[in-house]
Amino acid sequence: MTMRLIILGPPGAGKGTQAARIAEHFGIPPISTGDIFRANIKNETPLGLEVKSILAAGGYVSDDITNAIVESRLAEADCEPGFLLDGYPRTLGQVDALDEMLAKGDRPLERVLELVVPDDAVVARLLKRAEIEGRADDTEEVIRERMAIYHRETRPLSEAYAERGLLVAVDGEGSMDEVFDRIVRALS
Ligand code: ADP
């Protein structure tokens, strides 16, 4: 059995936390483009130097760069049983690019999971995370910018996947365990 999944949701919806647990549950790798970019920034790779200021300002890295990173990651052997994409795709252009990548390998997406959390709740969570983790893009101004970009660029993705009958929406409010249980139930 394969499990090819995407997890969608606003910044601060708890995608990363849930992605790790879902991936473990199904025995597939969680692939977070945000984590890949942050690791490159930390290691000062050419890619990291290129995207550092974009991430700090809350903008999106270009589709060309992002698509290329995901394509090479999906070619790795651990993606054979499936994968969980977290933070990708984020634009309709990335949706098309992903479709093409997956069509080449004849490995269609199985589900798109959307974590639904109201704006007020995610802003509060991000501000709290800022105190704990000190991420460069968790200041109030940058959070507002990320939310605006999310609504403009990424919200339309849930509609696109709903039209294809792939979308599963799950209430993302509540404890980590509650949300995880809902997700597992929704996916089985
Ligand atoms: P969050 O979901 O909390 O915004 P992520 O770790 O998913 O955090 O992403 C952090 C940043 O990395 C984004 O604000 C953006 O700058 C960049 N990024 C991540 N994924 C993508 C993507 N698919 N396309 C463009 N930029 C991306």
Side-chain angles (χ1 to χ4, degrees), residues 118-155:
D119 276 13
D120 289 353
V122 296
V123 172
R125 284 194 199 173
L126 288 170
L127 288 171
K128 203 166 145 204
R129 183 170 82 187
E131 285 172 23
I132 301 163
E133 294 180 18
R135 245 174 70 167
D137 58 353
D138 276 346
T139 64
E140 187 157 4
E141 197 193 343
V142 177
I143 289 169
R144 257 200 290 272
E145 175 68 6
R146 283 158 64 208
M147 293 302 294
I149 297 177
Y150 175 78
H151 280 287
R152 192 173 67 233
E153 304 281 342
T154 307
R155 236 19 281 290

mmCIF file of all heavy atoms in Angstrom, residues 118-155:
data_model
loop_
_atom_site.group_PDB
_atom_site.id
_atom_site.type_symbol
_atom_site.label_atom_id
_atom_site.label_comp_id
_atom_site.label_asym_id
_atom_site.label_seq_id
_atom_site.Cartn_x
_atom_site.Cartn_y
_atom_site.Cartn_z
ATOM 1 N N PRO A 118 -8.825 28.917 12.589
ATOM 2 C CA PRO A 118 -9.128 30.326 12.331
ATOM 3 C C PRO A 118 -7.891 31.219 12.468
ATOM 4 O O PRO A 118 -6.989 30.918 13.251
ATOM 5 C CB PRO A 118 -10.156 30.690 13.407
ATOM 6 C CG PRO A 118 -10.573 29.427 14.051
ATOM 7 C CD PRO A 118 -9.559 28.373 13.739
ATOM 8 N N ASP A 119 -7.898 32.333 11.716
ATOM 9 C CA ASP A 119 -6.768 33.275 11.716
ATOM 10 C C ASP A 119 -6.327 33.715 13.114
ATOM 11 O O ASP A 119 -5.133 33.714 13.409
ATOM 12 C CB ASP A 119 -7.147 34.539 10.934
ATOM 13 C CG ASP A 119 -6.938 34.353 9.442
ATOM 14 O OD1 ASP A 119 -6.743 33.191 9.015
ATOM 15 O OD2 ASP A 119 -6.970 35.360 8.721
ATOM 16 N N ASP A 120 -7.286 34.112 13.944
ATOM 17 C CA ASP A 120 -6.928 34.612 15.278
ATOM 18 C C ASP A 120 -6.128 33.586 16.063
ATOM 19 O O ASP A 120 -5.160 33.904 16.747
ATOM 20 C CB ASP A 120 -8.192 34.927 16.102
ATOM 21 C CG ASP A 120 -8.894 36.156 15.568
ATOM 22 O OD1 ASP A 120 -8.322 36.809 14.673
ATOM 23 O OD2 ASP A 120 -10.012 36.438 16.042
ATOM 24 N N ALA A 121 -6.560 32.332 15.950
ATOM 25 C CA ALA A 121 -5.894 31.269 16.694
ATOM 26 C C ALA A 121 -4.475 31.053 16.180
ATOM 27 O O ALA A 121 -3.552 30.841 16.967
ATOM 28 C CB ALA A 121 -6.706 29.975 16.594
ATOM 29 N N VAL A 122 -4.273 31.116 14.863
ATOM 30 C CA VAL A 122 -2.911 30.861 14.373
ATOM 31 C C VAL A 122 -1.973 32.020 14.701
ATOM 32 O O VAL A 122 -0.812 31.799 15.035
ATOM 33 C CB VAL A 122 -2.851 30.520 12.858
ATOM 34 C CG1 VAL A 122 -3.558 29.236 12.564
ATOM 35 C CG2 VAL A 122 -3.340 31.624 11.978
ATOM 36 N N VAL A 123 -2.476 33.241 14.658
ATOM 37 C CA VAL A 123 -1.608 34.373 15.000
ATOM 38 C C VAL A 123 -1.159 34.251 16.452
ATOM 39 O O VAL A 123 0.018 34.426 16.772
ATOM 40 C CB VAL A 123 -2.318 35.726 14.731
ATOM 41 C CG1 VAL A 123 -1.493 36.878 15.278
ATOM 42 C CG2 VAL A 123 -2.544 35.915 13.232
ATOM 43 N N ALA A 124 -2.092 33.890 17.325
ATOM 44 C CA ALA A 124 -1.742 33.722 18.742
ATOM 45 C C ALA A 124 -0.691 32.624 18.910
ATOM 46 O O ALA A 124 0.282 32.785 19.649
ATOM 47 C CB ALA A 124 -2.997 33.394 19.545
ATOM 48 N N ARG A 125 -0.865 31.528 18.189
ATOM 49 C CA ARG A 125 0.106 30.430 18.305
ATOM 50 C C ARG A 125 1.484 30.837 17.803
ATOM 51 O O ARG A 125 2.504 30.476 18.386
ATOM 52 C CB ARG A 125 -0.339 29.243 17.449
ATOM 53 C CG ARG A 125 -1.461 28.445 18.051
ATOM 54 C CD ARG A 125 -1.536 27.140 17.291
ATOM 55 N NE ARG A 125 -2.816 26.482 17.453
ATOM 56 C CZ ARG A 125 -3.164 25.392 16.780
ATOM 57 N NH1 ARG A 125 -2.342 24.870 15.899
ATOM 58 N NH2 ARG A 125 -4.336 24.831 16.979
ATOM 59 N N LEU A 126 1.509 31.581 16.697
ATOM 60 C CA LEU A 126 2.808 31.979 16.123
ATOM 61 C C LEU A 126 3.542 32.932 17.055
ATOM 62 O O LEU A 126 4.760 32.855 17.201
ATOM 63 C CB LEU A 126 2.607 32.628 14.750
ATOM 64 C CG LEU A 126 2.205 31.662 13.641
ATOM 65 C CD1 LEU A 126 1.799 32.426 12.382
ATOM 66 C CD2 LEU A 126 3.345 30.703 13.311
ATOM 67 N N LEU A 127 2.785 33.830 17.696
ATOM 68 C CA LEU A 127 3.429 34.768 18.617
ATOM 69 C C LEU A 127 4.018 34.016 19.807
ATOM 70 O O LEU A 127 5.098 34.337 20.287
ATOM 71 C CB LEU A 127 2.434 35.838 19.077
ATOM 72 C CG LEU A 127 2.085 36.855 17.983
ATOM 73 C CD1 LEU A 127 0.926 37.748 18.415
ATOM 74 C CD2 LEU A 127 3.304 37.708 17.627
ATOM 75 N N LYS A 128 3.314 32.990 20.230
ATOM 76 C CA LYS A 128 3.817 32.179 21.338
ATOM 77 C C LYS A 128 5.076 31.417 20.906
ATOM 78 O O LYS A 128 6.061 31.341 21.631
ATOM 79 C CB LYS A 128 2.727 31.210 21.789
ATOM 80 C CG LYS A 128 2.912 30.732 23.194
ATOM 81 C CD LYS A 128 1.650 30.071 23.701
ATOM 82 C CE LYS A 128 1.988 28.925 24.623
ATOM 83 N NZ LYS A 128 0.896 27.941 24.681
ATOM 84 N N ARG A 129 5.046 30.853 19.691
ATOM 85 C CA ARG A 129 6.206 30.133 19.177
ATOM 86 C C ARG A 129 7.416 31.074 19.070
ATOM 87 O O ARG A 129 8.557 30.673 19.296
ATOM 88 C CB ARG A 129 5.888 29.538 17.799
ATOM 89 C CG ARG A 129 7.024 28.705 17.231
ATOM 90 C CD ARG A 129 6.589 27.946 15.994
ATOM 91 N NE ARG A 129 6.626 28.769 14.804
ATOM 92 C CZ ARG A 129 6.174 28.378 13.610
ATOM 93 N NH1 ARG A 129 5.632 27.195 13.463
ATOM 94 N NH2 ARG A 129 6.252 29.162 12.575
ATOM 95 N N ALA A 130 7.140 32.342 18.726
ATOM 96 C CA ALA A 130 8.228 33.320 18.594
ATOM 97 C C ALA A 130 8.995 33.435 19.899
ATOM 98 O O ALA A 130 10.227 33.534 19.912
ATOM 99 C CB ALA A 130 7.646 34.669 18.197
ATOM 100 N N GLU A 131 8.248 33.424 21.013
ATOM 101 C CA GLU A 131 8.903 33.539 22.323
ATOM 102 C C GLU A 131 9.776 32.323 22.604
ATOM 103 O O GLU A 131 10.837 32.428 23.189
ATOM 104 C CB GLU A 131 7.853 33.623 23.439
ATOM 105 C CG GLU A 131 7.169 34.960 23.529
ATOM 106 C CD GLU A 131 6.005 34.922 24.512
ATOM 107 O OE1 GLU A 131 6.003 34.051 25.414
ATOM 108 O OE2 GLU A 131 5.095 35.756 24.365
ATOM 109 N N ILE A 132 9.311 31.155 22.174
ATOM 110 C CA ILE A 132 10.007 29.916 22.506
ATOM 111 C C ILE A 132 11.168 29.628 21.548
ATOM 112 O O ILE A 132 12.282 29.367 21.965
ATOM 113 C CB ILE A 132 9.014 28.727 22.502
ATOM 114 C CG1 ILE A 132 7.902 28.977 23.530
ATOM 115 C CG2 ILE A 132 9.732 27.423 22.795
ATOM 116 C CD1 ILE A 132 6.680 28.117 23.329
ATOM 117 N N GLU A 133 10.897 29.699 20.239
ATOM 118 C CA GLU A 133 11.903 29.278 19.259
ATOM 119 C C GLU A 133 12.724 30.421 18.687
ATOM 120 O O GLU A 133 13.795 30.204 18.134
ATOM 121 C CB GLU A 133 11.222 28.547 18.085
ATOM 122 C CG GLU A 133 10.591 27.228 18.478
ATOM 123 C CD GLU A 133 9.932 26.541 17.274
ATOM 124 O OE1 GLU A 133 10.258 26.895 16.126
ATOM 125 O OE2 GLU A 133 9.080 25.668 17.506
ATOM 126 N N GLY A 134 12.182 31.629 18.738
ATOM 127 C CA GLY A 134 12.886 32.769 18.181
ATOM 128 C C GLY A 134 13.142 32.672 16.689
ATOM 129 O O GLY A 134 14.203 33.056 16.200
ATOM 130 N N ARG A 135 12.181 32.129 15.944
ATOM 131 C CA ARG A 135 12.349 32.062 14.489
ATOM 132 C C ARG A 135 12.310 33.455 13.882
ATOM 133 O O ARG A 135 11.500 34.289 14.273
ATOM 134 C CB ARG A 135 11.222 31.216 13.887
ATOM 135 C CG ARG A 135 11.718 29.943 13.256
ATOM 136 C CD ARG A 135 10.581 29.080 12.819
ATOM 137 N NE ARG A 135 9.851 29.611 11.671
ATOM 138 C CZ ARG A 135 8.975 28.890 10.982
ATOM 139 N NH1 ARG A 135 8.732 27.643 11.311
ATOM 140 N NH2 ARG A 135 8.344 29.429 9.969
ATOM 141 N N ALA A 136 13.193 33.704 12.891
ATOM 142 C CA ALA A 136 13.327 35.050 12.325
ATOM 143 C C ALA A 136 12.022 35.553 11.698
ATOM 144 O O ALA A 136 11.792 36.753 11.613
ATOM 145 C CB ALA A 136 14.437 35.069 11.278
ATOM 146 N N ASP A 137 11.159 34.612 11.258
ATOM 147 C CA ASP A 137 9.932 35.053 10.583
ATOM 148 C C ASP A 137 8.710 35.003 11.498
ATOM 149 O O ASP A 137 7.588 35.030 11.027
ATOM 150 C CB ASP A 137 9.694 34.234 9.302
ATOM 151 C CG ASP A 137 9.591 32.732 9.567
ATOM 152 O OD1 ASP A 137 9.829 32.309 10.721
ATOM 153 O OD2 ASP A 137 9.276 32.000 8.624
ATOM 154 N N ASP A 138 8.923 34.958 12.784
ATOM 155 C CA ASP A 138 7.795 34.928 13.719
ATOM 156 C C ASP A 138 7.567 36.263 14.443
ATOM 157 O O ASP A 138 7.001 36.278 15.526
ATOM 158 C CB ASP A 138 7.965 33.797 14.756
ATOM 159 C CG ASP A 138 7.460 32.438 14.227
ATOM 160 O OD1 ASP A 138 6.750 32.425 13.209
ATOM 161 O OD2 ASP A 138 7.770 31.418 14.848
ATOM 162 N N THR A 139 7.991 37.384 13.858
ATOM 163 C CA THR A 139 7.628 38.668 14.464
ATOM 164 C C THR A 139 6.215 39.023 14.010
ATOM 165 O O THR A 139 5.745 38.525 12.987
ATOM 166 C CB THR A 139 8.577 39.798 14.025
ATOM 167 O OG1 THR A 139 8.413 39.976 12.612
ATOM 168 C CG2 THR A 139 10.023 39.445 14.328
ATOM 169 N N GLU A 140 5.545 39.901 14.766
ATOM 170 C CA GLU A 140 4.144 40.175 14.460
ATOM 171 C C GLU A 140 3.965 40.705 13.034
ATOM 172 O O GLU A 140 3.053 40.283 12.308
ATOM 173 C CB GLU A 140 3.557 41.159 15.478
ATOM 174 C CG GLU A 140 2.059 41.317 15.265
ATOM 175 C CD GLU A 140 1.303 41.802 16.490
ATOM 176 O OE1 GLU A 140 1.953 42.104 17.515
ATOM 177 O OE2 GLU A 140 0.067 41.873 16.394
ATOM 178 N N GLU A 141 4.857 41.585 12.617
ATOM 179 C CA GLU A 141 4.734 42.169 11.275
ATOM 180 C C GLU A 141 4.886 41.088 10.201
ATOM 181 O O GLU A 141 4.127 41.041 9.232
ATOM 182 C CB GLU A 141 5.820 43.237 11.124
ATOM 183 C CG GLU A 141 5.581 44.184 9.986
ATOM 184 C CD GLU A 141 6.825 45.013 9.682
ATOM 185 O OE1 GLU A 141 7.729 45.078 10.548
ATOM 186 O OE2 GLU A 141 6.893 45.559 8.578
ATOM 187 N N VAL A 142 5.885 40.238 10.369
ATOM 188 C CA VAL A 142 6.125 39.199 9.366
ATOM 189 C C VAL A 142 5.009 38.144 9.399
ATOM 190 O O VAL A 142 4.595 37.626 8.368
ATOM 191 C CB VAL A 142 7.527 38.560 9.549
ATOM 192 C CG1 VAL A 142 7.748 37.439 8.552
ATOM 193 C CG2 VAL A 142 8.617 39.612 9.387
ATOM 194 N N ILE A 143 4.488 37.877 10.590
ATOM 195 C CA ILE A 143 3.371 36.933 10.697
ATOM 196 C C ILE A 143 2.183 37.452 9.897
ATOM 197 O O ILE A 143 1.557 36.710 9.137
ATOM 198 C CB ILE A 143 2.971 36.725 12.180
ATOM 199 C CG1 ILE A 143 4.052 35.912 12.901
ATOM 200 C CG2 ILE A 143 1.617 36.010 12.283
ATOM 201 C CD1 ILE A 143 3.895 35.879 14.418
ATOM 202 N N ARG A 144 1.894 38.754 10.044
ATOM 203 C CA ARG A 144 0.770 39.325 9.295
ATOM 204 C C ARG A 144 0.992 39.185 7.796
ATOM 205 O O ARG A 144 0.079 38.854 7.032
ATOM 206 C CB ARG A 144 0.552 40.787 9.681
ATOM 207 C CG ARG A 144 -0.638 40.965 10.617
ATOM 208 C CD ARG A 144 -1.121 42.403 10.590
ATOM 209 N NE ARG A 144 -0.135 43.259 11.238
ATOM 210 C CZ ARG A 144 -0.120 43.507 12.547
ATOM 211 N NH1 ARG A 144 -1.037 42.983 13.327
ATOM 212 N NH2 ARG A 144 0.785 44.296 13.067
ATOM 213 N N GLU A 145 2.231 39.429 7.370
ATOM 214 C CA GLU A 145 2.573 39.309 5.951
ATOM 215 C C GLU A 145 2.396 37.859 5.490
ATOM 216 O O GLU A 145 1.847 37.590 4.422
ATOM 217 C CB GLU A 145 4.028 39.784 5.748
ATOM 218 C CG GLU A 145 4.581 39.601 4.345
ATOM 219 C CD GLU A 145 3.923 40.492 3.295
ATOM 220 O OE1 GLU A 145 3.099 41.349 3.663
ATOM 221 O OE2 GLU A 145 4.226 40.298 2.091
ATOM 222 N N ARG A 146 2.849 36.909 6.300
ATOM 223 C CA ARG A 146 2.717 35.494 5.912
ATOM 224 C C ARG A 146 1.254 35.082 5.811
ATOM 225 O O ARG A 146 0.875 34.318 4.927
ATOM 226 C CB ARG A 146 3.457 34.599 6.921
ATOM 227 C CG ARG A 146 4.976 34.628 6.693
ATOM 228 C CD ARG A 146 5.749 34.220 7.924
ATOM 229 N NE ARG A 146 5.518 32.858 8.317
ATOM 230 C CZ ARG A 146 5.609 32.419 9.570
ATOM 231 N NH1 ARG A 146 5.901 33.260 10.549
ATOM 232 N NH2 ARG A 146 5.420 31.163 9.836
ATOM 233 N N MET A 147 0.412 35.609 6.721
ATOM 234 C CA MET A 147 -1.018 35.289 6.650
ATOM 235 C C MET A 147 -1.644 35.858 5.381
ATOM 236 O O MET A 147 -2.448 35.191 4.716
ATOM 237 C CB MET A 147 -1.762 35.843 7.872
ATOM 238 C CG MET A 147 -1.395 35.197 9.194
ATOM 239 S SD MET A 147 -1.675 33.421 9.233
ATOM 240 C CE MET A 147 -3.448 33.395 9.096
ATOM 241 N N ALA A 148 -1.275 37.098 5.042
ATOM 242 C CA ALA A 148 -1.841 37.730 3.841
ATOM 243 C C ALA A 148 -1.439 36.941 2.595
ATOM 244 O O ALA A 148 -2.277 36.660 1.724
ATOM 245 C CB ALA A 148 -1.361 39.180 3.740
ATOM 246 N N ILE A 149 -0.168 36.567 2.533
ATOM 247 C CA ILE A 149 0.302 35.801 1.373
ATOM 248 C C ILE A 149 -0.382 34.440 1.350
ATOM 249 O O ILE A 149 -0.773 33.942 0.298
ATOM 250 C CB ILE A 149 1.841 35.640 1.402
ATOM 251 C CG1 ILE A 149 2.512 37.008 1.291
ATOM 252 C CG2 ILE A 149 2.306 34.728 0.267
ATOM 253 C CD1 ILE A 149 4.031 36.981 1.377
ATOM 254 N N TYR A 150 -0.561 33.845 2.522
ATOM 255 C CA TYR A 150 -1.234 32.544 2.591
ATOM 256 C C TYR A 150 -2.638 32.637 2.000
ATOM 257 O O TYR A 150 -3.039 31.820 1.177
ATOM 258 C CB TYR A 150 -1.301 32.054 4.044
ATOM 259 C CG TYR A 150 -2.095 30.774 4.167
ATOM 260 C CD1 TYR A 150 -1.522 29.562 3.808
ATOM 261 C CD2 TYR A 150 -3.423 30.786 4.576
ATOM 262 C CE1 TYR A 150 -2.247 28.386 3.876
ATOM 263 C CE2 TYR A 150 -4.150 29.615 4.644
ATOM 264 C CZ TYR A 150 -3.567 28.420 4.291
ATOM 265 O OH TYR A 150 -4.291 27.262 4.349
ATOM 266 N N HIS A 151 -3.381 33.672 2.410
ATOM 267 C CA HIS A 151 -4.756 33.790 1.912
ATOM 268 C C HIS A 151 -4.790 34.019 0.408
ATOM 269 O O HIS A 151 -5.632 33.466 -0.290
ATOM 270 C CB HIS A 151 -5.498 34.909 2.647
ATOM 271 C CG HIS A 151 -5.991 34.453 3.990
ATOM 272 N ND1 HIS A 151 -7.046 33.592 4.124
ATOM 273 C CD2 HIS A 151 -5.547 34.687 5.245
ATOM 274 C CE1 HIS A 151 -7.241 33.332 5.419
ATOM 275 N NE2 HIS A 151 -6.327 33.978 6.110
ATOM 276 N N ARG A 152 -3.836 34.793 -0.085
ATOM 277 C CA ARG A 152 -3.822 35.120 -1.513
ATOM 278 C C ARG A 152 -3.339 33.932 -2.344
ATOM 279 O O ARG A 152 -3.945 33.580 -3.346
ATOM 280 C CB ARG A 152 -2.921 36.337 -1.727
ATOM 281 C CG ARG A 152 -3.052 36.957 -3.097
ATOM 282 C CD ARG A 152 -2.260 38.248 -3.180
ATOM 283 N NE ARG A 152 -0.826 38.024 -3.093
ATOM 284 C CZ ARG A 152 -0.004 38.635 -2.236
ATOM 285 N NH1 ARG A 152 -0.471 39.499 -1.361
ATOM 286 N NH2 ARG A 152 1.283 38.369 -2.237
ATOM 287 N N GLU A 153 -2.246 33.311 -1.920
ATOM 288 C CA GLU A 153 -1.576 32.321 -2.779
ATOM 289 C C GLU A 153 -1.969 30.876 -2.479
ATOM 290 O O GLU A 153 -2.008 30.050 -3.390
ATOM 291 C CB GLU A 153 -0.047 32.422 -2.613
ATOM 292 C CG GLU A 153 0.542 33.792 -2.872
ATOM 293 C CD GLU A 153 0.695 34.083 -4.352
ATOM 294 O OE1 GLU A 153 0.682 33.147 -5.166
ATOM 295 O OE2 GLU A 153 0.812 35.290 -4.684
ATOM 296 N N THR A 154 -2.185 30.564 -1.223
ATOM 297 C CA THR A 154 -2.265 29.147 -0.847
ATOM 298 C C THR A 154 -3.690 28.669 -0.570
ATOM 299 O O THR A 154 -4.020 27.527 -0.843
ATOM 300 C CB THR A 154 -1.331 28.856 0.345
ATOM 301 O OG1 THR A 154 -0.029 29.333 0.015
ATOM 302 C CG2 THR A 154 -1.251 27.378 0.672
ATOM 303 N N ARG A 155 -4.548 29.561 -0.041
ATOM 304 C CA ARG A 155 -5.945 29.181 0.188
ATOM 305 C C ARG A 155 -6.592 28.547 -1.058
ATOM 306 O O ARG A 155 -7.285 27.542 -0.962
ATOM 307 C CB ARG A 155 -6.719 30.428 0.589
ATOM 308 C CG ARG A 155 -7.544 30.593 1.856
ATOM 309 C CD ARG A 155 -7.385 29.765 3.017
ATOM 310 N NE ARG A 155 -8.004 28.447 2.962
ATOM 311 C CZ ARG A 155 -9.275 28.170 2.989
ATOM 312 N NH1 ARG A 155 -10.179 29.132 3.019
ATOM 313 N NH2 ARG A 155 -9.695 26.954 2.963
#
